[in-house]
Amino acid sequence: MLLEVKNLTTKFKSKKGTTTAVNQVSFHVNEGEILAIVGESGSGKSVTSLSIMGLTPGEVSGEIIFKGEDLKQKSDKEMQKIRGDKISMIFQEPMTSLNPVHRIKDQLMETILTHMDMNKEEALKRAITMLDLVGIPSPEKRINDYPHQMSGGMRQRVMIAMALSCRPELLIADEPTTALDVTIQAQIMELLYRLRQKFNMAVMLITHDLGVVAESADRVIVMYCGRIVEEAPVIELFETPKHPYTRGLLDSIPKIDEDKDRLFMIDGMVPNPLHMPKGCTFSDRCDKCMDICRQMMPALVTDGNRSVRCFLYHNEVEVSE
Amino acid sequence: MLRYVLKRLLQVIPVLIGVSIIVFTILRVFSPDPAPVVLGQHATAEAVTEWRNANGLNDPLPIQYFNFIKGIFTGDLGTSYYTKKPVLDEITSRFPATIELAVLATIFASIFGILIGVVTAVKKNSIWDNLGMFFALIGVSIPIFWLGIMLIIVFSGTLGWLPSGQRIDPLLRPNKITGLYLIDTLLKGDLRAFKDAALHLVLPVCALGMYSMAIIARMTRSSMLETLNQDYIRTARAKGVIKNRVIIHHALRNALIPIVTVIGLQLGALLGGSVLTETVFSWPGIGSYTVNCILKSDFPVVQGVVMLIAIIFVLMNLLVDIIYAFLDPRIKYSKKEG
């Protein structure tokens, strides 16, 4: 097991009250696998990844065990050594994720020089190799470009090159294709998939795009309102989704062979984090909602390689903190 | 880039023509006749007419304006009504004192202003933020002359640490090379005079730089707060870059553009001479001298100084624009790269 997250809870304090963005989340990532974390905006998936990196301003509790060591116990300096080296991250917004005033060269070399024992010449060479690897044409020329001279897809490739330049063991990809158009999305996913195999690294793929998940992930975690509601191997999740929310998500994908006037959608909205419904957080929007769902929060119960948080399958209630 | 600079220099011309017309009109049309001021209120009518003829004040206004403009191009800005010395000499003898004071005050203001701005932004809502911003608030609100007087009373009077007036001990005054005493004394290798000139600068620089420092600190803070929230800062941290490098290399570098604008404008304003500081510290600069000349209706001097200040201001703005291109590669002034 490469990464094991136990009872991760991240809270943000504001004047209006405390918001729990991630609530008692536990999961693991095996070496070399692609774990997808799925959920709509505000489900806590991005905060989960930033918490692992130690980059959230929120209050983080729980354990984050990476290769047997708890990252939560690490000092700032120790975390700096891990970030970008052992664990890397790429982000949703390639247009704004690169520093506009520095050349691609400097930004790539910065990562390499921070973590690897290399002189500038070697670092430059490696940077060019990395650009070549992510499919940027004439990398020795483009490396002198500034970010604004590149397209969104190119910039995401540069971000990937930067993230992978120190051969991390875990790549956290936070919605890497969301801001790109569809053809570029496919190229970027294909690239990530290929590099994953080449470097044998694990990928935590955070997305709301189930199409992307189906194509690339090994296992899937579905999050809703800061909690994991279902976890399953990818094929089983798509064939027999258990949680009503997962089913809703799958049903809302338009299918090309279906003749429908209206697309399916899950009724209602994600609840305001400051005013969560009593009981199951999904109860307000659930078509299978029962009386108990409005009273109590179901626990996440594991059965074999599948876990689900729903009273349709068991009667276990979550013990609140 | 060169094309851009040339184009901008051409654009300076109409600005300066405008300034020249305005200053000329104010002096010749709206100001009282200088003759009684210069010759005294009991001067005879003949003496006044003779004096006006001698100084070209009886010529038609367009001719007077033409002579004024011609003078600018030939380097002859006329002679002071009082000292009878060429205006150019009057300006060049005083301007170095102003340059020295203004440049040092701006450096002082930039260093401490940026430092305070960065610290308050990084430690937002902490005690340091509150302290820094309180200090900046005092800086923008405090009257310069009052601050100058207080500095003199405390550091020169009570504590006796620093001199309070003039640029240097008269016995140590260096021969004029650049007119900037710090440089002239160093060129001569006279360290004692250098130290004396530097000590004379401390209080006026602090007094004059305080306001600019406060402005720069506030601008730096808001600009830094904005950049610190940008995605590329998160990227830099995710790369494992150490904190201070993230702040300086990634955040401050991006935050500099508005800060440079403010610094440029402040320097331009200070180079115009600070009347209050120069008066309080009896600093022989251009500011207090000009105000004196305005009060005495010394037209040629006022015209010359105003034109000089206008040119400096316009050039400062151009300089700031050029610095932009170095700070932000997205700004390109040539048409080719759009």
Side-chain angles (χ1 to χ4, degrees), chain B residues 255-316:
Chain B
L256 270 181
I257 285 200
I259 303 172
V260 165
T261 313
V262 172
I263 293 176
L265 291 177
Q266 292 293 326
L267 179 58
L270 295 189
L271 280 175
S274 161
V275 180
L276 294 173
T277 311
E278 288 178 5
T279 308
V280 170
F281 289 95
S282 36
W283 194 261
I286 201 102
S288 48
Y289 172 69
T290 310
V291 170
N292 241 325
C293 292
I294 293 172
L295 295 176
K296 292 192 299 187
S297 299
D298 201 342
F299 288 174
V301 177
V302 177
Q303 283 173 178
V305 172
V306 171
M307 287 311 291
L308 175 75
I309 292 172
I311 292 171
I312 289 173
F313 222 91
V314 173
L315 290 182
M316 276 317 297

Side-chain angles (χ1 to χ4, degrees), chain A residues 22 46 56 59 82 86 98 151 194 202-203 207 210 221 243 294:
Chain A
V22 177
S46 288
T56 162
E59 200 180 282
I82 292 170
K86 302 271 181 292
L98 289 165
S151 67
R194 187 163 57 79
V203 178
T207 183
L210 284 164
I221 285 173
H243 198 280
R294 298 199 191 277

Side-chain angles (χ1 to χ4, degrees), chain A residues 66-67 80-90 107-118 122-123 126-127 129-131 133-134 158-171 195 199-201, chain B residues 238-241:
Chain A
F66 179 72
K67 296 178 80 182
Q80 277 164 11
K81 282 187 187 148
I82 292 170
R83 287 200 286 262
D85 187 24
K86 302 271 181 292
I87 309 179
S88 283
M89 194 162 175
I90 55 175
Q107 303 194 44
L108 266 166
M109 283 167 63
E110 188 178 34
T111 314
I112 298 168
L113 291 170
T114 304
H115 298 294
M116 301 180 107
D117 190 19
M118 280 190 176
E122 292 167 321
R126 190 180 178 91
T129 316
M130 287 311 297
L131 282 190
L133 206 62
V134 297
V158 170
M159 283 296 293
I160 294 172
M162 207 153 79
L164 301 191
S165 56
C166 297
R167 299 280 149 87
E169 290 167 68
L170 175 64
L171 173 71
L195 292 175
F199 297 155
N200 188 34
M201 63 180 175
Chain B
K239 275 157 68 174
V241 177

